[in-house]
Amino acid sequence: MGDPKILAVDDQQIFLLLLENHLREAGFTPLTASVGQEALAILEQQAVDLIISDLMMPGMDGLELIEQVHKRHPGLPIIVLTGHGSVESAVEAMRRGAYDYLEKPYNPDVLGITIRRALDHHHVIRENQQITGLLRERFTFQSIVTVNPAMKELLELAARVASARQTTVAIYGESGAGKEVLARAIHFAGNGLPAGFVAVNCAAIPEHLLESELFGHVRGAFTGADRDREGKFSMARGGTILLDEIGDMPLPLQAKLLRVLQERVFEKIGSNTPLLADCRVIVATNRNLVSLVASGKFREDLYHRINVFPLTIPPLRERKDDIPLLCEHVLDQLRQHLGKPLPGISQEAMNIMLDYPWPGNVRELRNCLERAAILTDGELIRPSHLGIGTGPADDIQTVSSPGTTTYTLTLPSDQISLDALTDRILAITLERCGGNKSKASQFLRINRKAFYRS
């Protein structure tokens, strides 16, 4: 990599020679220029890691040089040197984009430390920009592959609301349908940064901890609160907070969330100081909130407050025209991930995938293909690789029509008890849901505890 190249700019030749020697002794490769135009010419000819510039120079002064450098070489760090009594000018230079300033005469050790710190800061910024670029490519509306008309219409609506940061978006859809993927696409389409997207699973956090998780707490607010803690709303400031599984949020906390959405302020637990909820709010759920409102398990006023801009992702079984496209998209990712050739999917395997109801939706399809890709050895994916439509669930058939799926269970000719039949249905559903009890209970619309009793 070599030593970092530092361009020193100063019209005083004796000072410039002194600065050049100090830079070389500190392990840098120095370049020098006496005026701003000469510095710009050097930048056009070779890459430079950092600039050290005087402010008071004939012709183009240091402030103008900063502006010209940032126009032509955005992000290049600049440290300004200023004479005693010109601190106001140095502060103005930082306002225009300089990283830091030092007063003349400077301490060589302090100069070296400041340069290293500026280079490290610039390196972190560049890495963050690269990560941001990769995430933007992954989480964009264009990355959501579909040929289905309903999905295309959904993405058009999502793109429209992306620029409205104060509008609460409600995303509905079954487990694995891609609710968080859509939420991230909305976030990035609104020019959001990776660090500005915060997701909270309201169903995965115990009720007594969820309030602190969302809003934070101050030291001594409750037993065990030995220090202040920032909540997710604070972490999402300027970005987006996704409240996933909003239908499972406890009623007492629903009232507090309603106030946050209405007034855009919140308080940490144990504090009366209001904090600004300066973030986009997206909620998501796989539950029917209207039914929860009717049963008294979800506040009606909160429902109307979050349902400002509803987006419903259709389940994969209702958009089977997307399955071939999704399969190729996933296989292309797996080719890179696994580093092995994956010629494709046989017609027999594709027919099974088109007939399968996909209770786990896109996530289940992805997991199914990953398993199949591992099992294949440079051959087409066959039915035996898929792990669906075989095994314990062979005695169940599905007939799908738009919006519905009918299941027919093949039973033995002799008598069977109701308990045995129930156990069989639970076992089959659990098999179809990949052993995920939560997914299976949601699919059958029964209490999750039924799987533990069976």
Side-chain angles (χ1 to χ4, degrees):
M1 297 254 330
D3 297 330
K5 289 184 180 179
I6 310 297
L7 174 60
V9 189
D10 199 294
D11 62 317
Q12 299 180 23
Q13 288 300 317
I14 294 179
F15 180 83
L16 196 60
L17 287 173
L18 181 65
L19 181 57
E20 182 180 3
N21 287 332
H22 286 157
L23 290 173
R24 187 173 287 109
E25 290 173 358
F28 303 113
T29 299
L31 304 171
T32 60
S34 300
V35 292
Q37 290 292 355
E38 183 184 357
L40 293 178
I42 292 175
L43 291 176
E44 294 300 322
Q45 297 172 3
Q46 58 183 305
V48 169
D49 297 295
L50 182 141
I51 297 175
I52 300 175
S53 175
D54 189 17
L55 283 180
M56 304 301 295
M57 296 183 294
M60 180 183 296
D61 64 13
L63 294 179
E64 186 178 353
L65 176 61
I66 291 172
E67 291 185 352
Q68 291 296 323
V69 169
H70 281 184
K71 284 181 182 179
R72 306 180 188 189
H73 308 276
L76 183 61
I78 302 176
I79 296 174
V80 298
L81 293 175
T82 178
H84 181 68
S86 303
V87 175
E88 294 82 2
S89 299
V91 172
E92 175 62 20
M94 293 183 65
R95 191 187 68 81
R96 299 194 186 190
Y99 173 78
D100 205 346
Y101 74 92
L102 295 174
E103 290 188 58
K104 296 179 179 179
Y106 63 86
N107 182 314
D109 293 334
V110 173
L111 175 64
I113 292 172
T114 305
I115 292 174
R116 297 288 182 189
R117 189 167 58 233
L119 292 174
D120 289 343
H121 178 74
H122 180 57
H123 179 68
V124 170
I125 290 177
R126 291 187 62 182
E127 282 190 339
N128 286 342
Q129 289 174 341
Q130 292 174 352
I131 293 172
T132 299
L134 292 173
L135 289 174
R136 286 189 186 281
E137 290 179 6
R138 180 179 177 186
F139 296 108
T140 63
F141 296 120
Q142 291 74 24
S143 67
I144 302 176
V145 295
T146 183
V147 294
N148 182 264
M151 276 297 293
K152 287 185 175 181
E153 182 179 355
L154 176 74
L155 295 179
E156 290 177 3
L157 290 173
R160 286 179 176 271
V161 77
S163 59
R165 290 189 65 251
Q166 297 300 315
T167 300
T168 303
V169 179
I171 302 178
Y172 302 97
E174 295 180 0
S175 178
K179 298 186 290 296
E180 183 171 340
V181 172
L182 181 60
R184 287 183 181 272
I186 293 173
H187 168 74
F188 280 108
N191 296 318
L193 297 175
F197 184 91
V198 178
V200 184
N201 189 328
C202 299
I205 303 172
E207 180 177 345
H208 66 283
L209 296 178
L210 184 55
E211 182 176 0
S212 174
E213 188 76 14
L214 290 176
F215 307 126
H217 62 256
V218 298
R219 181 180 179 183
F222 50 83
T223 303
D226 56 351
R227 58 183 174 178
D228 289 2
R229 179 181 178 181
E230 294 295 315
K232 299 299 187 184
F233 269 92
S234 294
M235 296 179 185
R237 187 174 292 117
T240 300
I241 185 168
L242 169 64
L243 301 178
D244 201 4
E245 306 299 350
I246 187 71
D248 294 294
M249 178 175 285
L251 280 169
L253 201 52
Q254 290 180 27
K256 295 186 178 183
L257 176 61
L258 178 64
R259 176 174 176 259
V260 175
L261 296 178
Q262 290 176 337
E263 302 178 16
R264 289 287 169 175
V265 294
F266 65 95
E267 294 93 23
K268 291 183 176 181
I269 300 176
S271 171
N272 294 321
T273 303
L275 300 173
L276 184 63
D278 180 26
C279 60
R280 180 201 301 273
V281 179
I282 300 179
V283 303
T285 182
N286 59 11
R287 305 187 67 181
N288 188 326
L289 293 186
V290 175
S291 299
L292 292 179
V293 169
S295 62
K297 297 179 180 179
F298 199 85
R299 293 180 63 104
E300 184 175 5
D301 48 4
L302 179 59
Y303 169 73
H304 292 301
R305 186 62 188 80
I306 65 176
N307 204 47
V308 180
F309 202 94
L311 297 170
T312 302
I313 303 178
L316 188 55
R317 62 180 174 275
E318 293 182 8
R319 50 187 181 101
K320 293 193 172 183
D321 47 348
D322 277 345
I323 290 179
L325 185 63
L326 284 169
C327 287
E328 184 52 40
H329 178 69
V330 173
L331 286 179
D332 189 52
Q333 294 176 335
L334 290 172
R335 290 183 184 104
Q336 302 178 42
H337 174 65
L338 298 176
K340 62 186 295 187
L342 298 171
I345 304 174
S346 69
Q347 189 59 54
E348 295 82 1
M350 180 59 71
N351 290 339
I352 290 176
M353 299 184 79
L354 290 172
D355 290 337
Y356 184 63
W358 298 109
N361 292 288
V362 179
R363 184 188 298 125
E364 184 184 9
L365 181 141
R366 180 181 297 276
N367 293 342
C368 173
L369 287 177
E370 183 171 357
R371 175 186 185 274
I374 293 173
L375 293 176
T376 58
D377 188 17
E379 58 192 308
L380 290 175
I381 292 175
R382 301 191 305 272
S384 59
H385 297 137
L386 296 176
I388 59 175
T390 61
D394 279 343
D395 54 358
I396 188 170
Q397 300 174 349
T398 62
V399 180
S400 299
S401 59
T404 64
T405 302
T406 301
Y407 295 87
T408 303
L409 184 65
T410 303
L411 300 175
S413 56
D414 55 338
Q415 293 183 343
I416 184 172
S417 68
L418 180 58
D419 288 342
L421 177 59
T422 301
D423 290 344
R424 185 68 183 129
I425 293 174
L426 292 176
I428 290 171
T429 307
L430 192 60
E431 170 73 17
R432 285 294 175 100
C433 294
N436 189 315
K437 293 183 175 66
S438 295
K439 186 189 299 183
S441 62
Q442 292 165 5
F443 188 68
L444 290 176
R445 298 179 183 178
I446 62 174
N447 192 300
R448 190 172 186 265
K449 293 181 181 178
F451 285 96
Y452 293 103
R453 293 195 299 264
S454 61

Short mmCIF file of all heavy atoms in Angstrom, two decimals, residues 358-381:
data_model
loop_
_atom_site.label_atom_id
_atom_site.label_comp_id
_atom_site.label_asym_id
_atom_site.label_seq_id
_atom_site.Cartn_x
_atom_site.Cartn_y
_atom_site.Cartn_z
N TRP A 358 -46.68 -23.52 -0.14
CA TRP A 358 -45.70 -22.61 0.47
C TRP A 358 -46.25 -21.85 1.67
O TRP A 358 -46.38 -20.61 1.64
CB TRP A 358 -45.16 -21.62 -0.57
CG TRP A 358 -44.43 -22.29 -1.70
CD1 TRP A 358 -44.85 -22.41 -2.99
CD2 TRP A 358 -43.16 -22.96 -1.64
NE1 TRP A 358 -43.92 -23.11 -3.74
CE2 TRP A 358 -42.87 -23.46 -2.93
CE3 TRP A 358 -42.24 -23.18 -0.60
CZ2 TRP A 358 -41.72 -24.16 -3.21
CZ3 TRP A 358 -41.09 -23.88 -0.88
CH2 TRP A 358 -40.83 -24.36 -2.18
N PRO A 359 -46.56 -22.54 2.75
CA PRO A 359 -47.03 -21.83 3.95
C PRO A 359 -45.99 -20.88 4.53
O PRO A 359 -46.34 -19.92 5.20
CB PRO A 359 -47.35 -22.97 4.93
CG PRO A 359 -46.55 -24.14 4.46
CD PRO A 359 -46.51 -24.01 2.97
N GLY A 360 -44.71 -21.16 4.25
CA GLY A 360 -43.64 -20.27 4.70
C GLY A 360 -43.23 -19.23 3.68
O GLY A 360 -42.28 -18.47 3.90
N ASN A 361 -43.93 -19.21 2.54
CA ASN A 361 -43.74 -18.21 1.50
C ASN A 361 -42.31 -18.15 0.97
O ASN A 361 -41.66 -19.19 0.87
CB ASN A 361 -44.22 -16.85 2.01
CG ASN A 361 -45.73 -16.83 2.18
OD1 ASN A 361 -46.47 -16.81 1.21
ND2 ASN A 361 -46.19 -16.87 3.42
N VAL A 362 -41.83 -16.94 0.65
CA VAL A 362 -40.54 -16.80 -0.02
C VAL A 362 -39.39 -17.32 0.85
O VAL A 362 -38.44 -17.90 0.35
CB VAL A 362 -40.30 -15.33 -0.41
CG1 VAL A 362 -38.94 -15.18 -1.10
CG2 VAL A 362 -41.40 -14.83 -1.33
N ARG A 363 -39.50 -17.12 2.16
CA ARG A 363 -38.45 -17.62 3.05
C ARG A 363 -38.35 -19.13 2.97
O ARG A 363 -37.26 -19.70 2.93
CB ARG A 363 -38.72 -17.19 4.49
CG ARG A 363 -37.59 -17.60 5.44
CD ARG A 363 -37.96 -17.34 6.89
NE ARG A 363 -38.19 -15.94 7.15
CZ ARG A 363 -39.30 -15.44 7.68
NH1 ARG A 363 -40.30 -16.24 7.98
NH2 ARG A 363 -39.43 -14.15 7.89
N GLU A 364 -39.49 -19.82 2.94
CA GLU A 364 -39.48 -21.27 2.85
C GLU A 364 -38.92 -21.72 1.50
O GLU A 364 -38.16 -22.70 1.43
CB GLU A 364 -40.89 -21.83 3.04
CG GLU A 364 -40.94 -23.35 3.04
CD GLU A 364 -42.35 -23.89 3.14
OE1 GLU A 364 -43.31 -23.11 3.05
OE2 GLU A 364 -42.49 -25.12 3.31
N LEU A 365 -39.27 -21.01 0.44
CA LEU A 365 -38.74 -21.35 -0.88
C LEU A 365 -37.23 -21.21 -0.90
O LEU A 365 -36.51 -22.08 -1.43
CB LEU A 365 -39.38 -20.45 -1.94
CG LEU A 365 -38.95 -20.69 -3.39
CD1 LEU A 365 -40.14 -20.54 -4.34
CD2 LEU A 365 -37.85 -19.73 -3.81
N ARG A 366 -36.71 -20.15 -0.31
CA ARG A 366 -35.27 -19.93 -0.26
C ARG A 366 -34.58 -21.05 0.52
O ARG A 366 -33.56 -21.59 0.10
CB ARG A 366 -34.97 -18.57 0.36
CG ARG A 366 -33.48 -18.25 0.46
CD ARG A 366 -33.28 -16.90 1.10
NE ARG A 366 -33.85 -15.84 0.30
CZ ARG A 366 -33.24 -15.27 -0.73
NH1 ARG A 366 -32.02 -15.67 -1.07
NH2 ARG A 366 -33.82 -14.32 -1.43
N ASN A 367 -35.14 -21.41 1.67
CA ASN A 367 -34.56 -22.48 2.49
C ASN A 367 -34.60 -23.82 1.76
O ASN A 367 -33.66 -24.62 1.84
CB ASN A 367 -35.31 -22.59 3.82
CG ASN A 367 -35.10 -21.36 4.70
OD1 ASN A 367 -34.17 -20.60 4.49
ND2 ASN A 367 -35.97 -21.18 5.68
N CYS A 368 -35.70 -24.05 1.05
CA CYS A 368 -35.85 -25.31 0.30
C CYS A 368 -34.78 -25.41 -0.78
O CYS A 368 -34.15 -26.46 -0.95
CB CYS A 368 -37.26 -25.36 -0.31
SG CYS A 368 -37.53 -26.74 -1.44
N LEU A 369 -34.55 -24.31 -1.50
CA LEU A 369 -33.56 -24.32 -2.57
C LEU A 369 -32.14 -24.40 -2.03
O LEU A 369 -31.27 -25.02 -2.65
CB LEU A 369 -33.72 -23.07 -3.45
CG LEU A 369 -34.94 -23.07 -4.37
CD1 LEU A 369 -35.03 -21.75 -5.12
CD2 LEU A 369 -34.90 -24.24 -5.35
N GLU A 370 -31.89 -23.81 -0.88
CA GLU A 370 -30.55 -23.91 -0.29
C GLU A 370 -30.24 -25.35 0.08
O GLU A 370 -29.13 -25.84 -0.15
CB GLU A 370 -30.44 -23.00 0.93
CG GLU A 370 -29.05 -23.00 1.54
CD GLU A 370 -28.87 -21.95 2.62
OE1 GLU A 370 -29.82 -21.19 2.86
OE2 GLU A 370 -27.78 -21.90 3.22
N ARG A 371 -31.23 -26.04 0.65
CA ARG A 371 -31.06 -27.46 0.98
C ARG A 371 -30.80 -28.26 -0.29
O ARG A 371 -29.88 -29.10 -0.34
CB ARG A 371 -32.31 -27.98 1.69
CG ARG A 371 -32.29 -29.48 1.97
CD ARG A 371 -33.64 -29.93 2.53
NE ARG A 371 -33.62 -31.33 2.91
CZ ARG A 371 -33.86 -32.33 2.08
NH1 ARG A 371 -34.10 -32.09 0.81
NH2 ARG A 371 -33.83 -33.58 2.51
N ALA A 372 -31.59 -27.99 -1.31
CA ALA A 372 -31.44 -28.73 -2.56
C ALA A 372 -30.09 -28.46 -3.21
O ALA A 372 -29.45 -29.37 -3.74
CB ALA A 372 -32.57 -28.36 -3.52
N ALA A 373 -29.64 -27.19 -3.15
CA ALA A 373 -28.36 -26.83 -3.76
C ALA A 373 -27.20 -27.55 -3.08
O ALA A 373 -26.21 -27.93 -3.73
CB ALA A 373 -28.17 -25.32 -3.69
N ILE A 374 -27.29 -27.75 -1.78
CA ILE A 374 -26.24 -28.45 -1.05
C ILE A 374 -26.22 -29.93 -1.43
O ILE A 374 -25.15 -30.55 -1.54
CB ILE A 374 -26.45 -28.29 0.47
CG1 ILE A 374 -26.22 -26.82 0.86
CG2 ILE A 374 -25.52 -29.20 1.26
CD1 ILE A 374 -26.56 -26.50 2.30
N LEU A 375 -27.40 -30.51 -1.67
CA LEU A 375 -27.50 -31.93 -1.96
C LEU A 375 -27.11 -32.28 -3.39
O LEU A 375 -26.69 -33.40 -3.67
CB LEU A 375 -28.93 -32.42 -1.70
CG LEU A 375 -29.38 -32.41 -0.24
CD1 LEU A 375 -30.84 -32.84 -0.15
CD2 LEU A 375 -28.50 -33.33 0.61
N THR A 376 -27.24 -31.32 -4.31
CA THR A 376 -26.93 -31.61 -5.70
C THR A 376 -25.42 -31.65 -5.92
O THR A 376 -24.65 -31.06 -5.16
CB THR A 376 -27.54 -30.56 -6.65
OG1 THR A 376 -27.06 -29.26 -6.28
CG2 THR A 376 -29.04 -30.59 -6.58
N ASP A 377 -25.03 -32.31 -6.98
CA ASP A 377 -23.61 -32.43 -7.31
C ASP A 377 -23.43 -32.16 -8.80
O ASP A 377 -23.17 -33.06 -9.60
CB ASP A 377 -23.09 -33.82 -6.93
CG ASP A 377 -21.59 -33.93 -7.07
OD1 ASP A 377 -20.92 -32.87 -7.14
OD2 ASP A 377 -21.08 -35.05 -7.12
N GLY A 378 -23.61 -30.89 -9.17
CA GLY A 378 -23.46 -30.51 -10.56
C GLY A 378 -24.56 -31.01 -11.46
O GLY A 378 -24.35 -31.16 -12.67
N GLU A 379 -25.73 -31.29 -10.90
CA GLU A 379 -26.85 -31.82 -11.68
C GLU A 379 -28.06 -30.93 -11.47
O GLU A 379 -28.09 -30.05 -10.61
CB GLU A 379 -27.16 -33.24 -11.19
CG GLU A 379 -27.51 -33.28 -9.71
CD GLU A 379 -27.55 -34.69 -9.15
OE1 GLU A 379 -28.24 -35.51 -9.76
OE2 GLU A 379 -26.89 -34.94 -8.13
N LEU A 380 -29.09 -31.16 -12.27
CA LEU A 380 -30.34 -30.45 -12.09
C LEU A 380 -30.97 -30.84 -10.75
O LEU A 380 -30.85 -31.98 -10.31
CB LEU A 380 -31.31 -30.78 -13.23
CG LEU A 380 -30.98 -30.22 -14.62
CD1 LEU A 380 -31.99 -30.75 -15.63
CD2 LEU A 380 -31.00 -28.69 -14.61
N ILE A 381 -31.63 -29.88 -10.10
CA ILE A 381 -32.33 -30.18 -8.86
C ILE A 381 -33.53 -31.07 -9.17
O ILE A 381 -34.36 -30.75 -10.02
CB ILE A 381 -32.79 -28.87 -8.18
CG1 ILE A 381 -31.57 -28.09 -7.69
CG2 ILE A 381 -33.73 -29.16 -7.02
CD1 ILE A 381 -31.89 -26.74 -7.11
#
